[in-house]
Amino acid sequence: MNDDVRWLTPREQDAWQAFTEMHRRFDRAIEHRLNLDSGLSMADYDVAFVPVWSVSLASSADEGQRLRRSG
């Protein structure tokens, strides 16, 4: 085992566990509301609304910053 690893204190571990539980509950609530409102699961939503292309910020010395299509 690596002695350089700093493990969470009991208080930090409790906070982390509370955060992950809240995150799970939040995700379930969002998916439940999405399903009630539209009949979609979160996976359905992810597939249906993934952009065909993504936008990235490009920059060059003479052009400044501009948005460009990536991929």
Side-chain angles (χ1 to χ4, degrees):
M1 190 186 266
N2 187 344
D3 291 332
D4 295 335
V5 174
R6 186 186 78 76
W7 297 100
L8 298 178
T9 65
R11 185 175 178 184
E12 291 169 332
Q13 183 66 34
D14 289 345
W16 180 249
Q17 288 175 343
F19 171 78
T20 57
E21 178 60 25
M22 179 276 310
H23 193 273
R24 281 191 290 272
R25 288 181 183 196
F26 182 76
D27 284 348
R28 284 193 302 265
I30 293 294
E31 182 157 12
H32 180 71
R33 175 49 66 182
L34 177 64
N35 188 265
L36 286 175
D37 291 348
S38 66
L40 294 174
S41 70
M42 192 61 79
D44 294 334
Y45 179 85
D46 287 343
V47 170
F49 296 100
V50 169
V52 176
W53 54 277
S54 62
V55 176
S56 65
L57 190 61
S59 64
S60 68
D62 56 325
E63 295 181 27
Q65 293 183 339
R66 63 182 172 82
L67 292 176
R68 67 175 172 86
R69 184 176 176 169
S70 64

